[in-house]
Amino acid sequence: MKIIQNNIDHLEQSSFDQASKVWSGYDIVVRMKEYGIGPQHKDELLKCFSAVCEDATERSVQNVRGQTVKLSSASGSTLERMFNIMDFMYRKDLKYLEDYRVAILKSTTYVSDNNTDGSWISSRNRRGGMRPVPKYVITLHFWCMNPGVVSTYNIWSFTQF
């Protein structure tokens, strides 16, 4: 989230409804180091990830409001994908790092004031005066440009400690 927050104002407009910023593997590692998730932190981060996943399956915890909370399967899946990516990027002393690109994409879609199903586009609704409202979707992408990087390894091996 910090990578997105710190770079969202520096995106380059690539089309009418899309802006982006793309970094090479080495450029993104510099940024990841700033947030404590660089290559030197990989082993510690993997231990933390393993502990979080173990705790999530064994028990739930109380938050500050006294509510019982548990890591959702969607959050666990997102964390797992992120650690898979880091594992491949940082593997073998960064051998595959230049095979990666990282991008922030900001897309704009338009929805009506009164509904979000896109029906404002119809001529009947246009005459009714409904105005489209921009909705921004911001995504962070990790692209592996070399399929050989992943195909030579067992994707799940890093979770087995």
Side-chain angles (χ1 to χ4, degrees), residues 121-134:
I121 295 172
S122 74
S123 61
R124 182 177 59 107
N125 287 337
R126 254 191 315 240
R127 284 191 297 270
M130 293 194 309
R131 295 182 173 239
V133 176

Side-chain angles (χ1 to χ4, degrees), residues 1-8 23 28 31-32 35 37 102 104 140 142:
M1 290 304 297
K2 290 281 187 191
I3 291 172
I4 292 173
Q5 290 169 351
N6 291 343
N7 291 284
I8 195 68
W23 293 276
I28 198 62
R31 284 166 176 71
M32 291 173 83
Y35 302 113
I37 55 175
V102 177
I104 296 175
L140 180 66
F142 289 82

Side-chain angles (χ1 to χ4, degrees), residues 10 15 17 83 90 96 100 107 159:
H10 307 289
S15 68
D17 60 354
F83 281 101
Y90 297 161
Y96 303 111
Y100 282 87
S107 302
T159 60

Side-chain angles (χ1 to χ4, degrees), residues 3 24-47 82-83 85-98 100 142:
I3 291 172
S24 70
Y26 286 109
D27 290 337
I28 198 62
V29 166
V30 169
R31 284 166 176 71
M32 291 173 83
K33 282 181 181 180
E34 293 173 11
Y35 302 113
I37 55 175
Q40 68 274 24
H41 303 105
K42 177 185 167 187
D43 292 337
E44 183 62 31
L45 290 169
L46 290 174
K47 286 179 190 174
M82 289 297 300
F83 281 101
I85 291 164
M86 280 193 337
D87 184 45
F88 283 111
M89 285 177 62
Y90 297 161
R91 191 169 282 190
K92 293 188 178 185
D93 293 324
L94 309 178
K95 177 180 178 180
Y96 303 111
L97 192 56
E98 276 307 301
Y100 282 87
F142 289 82

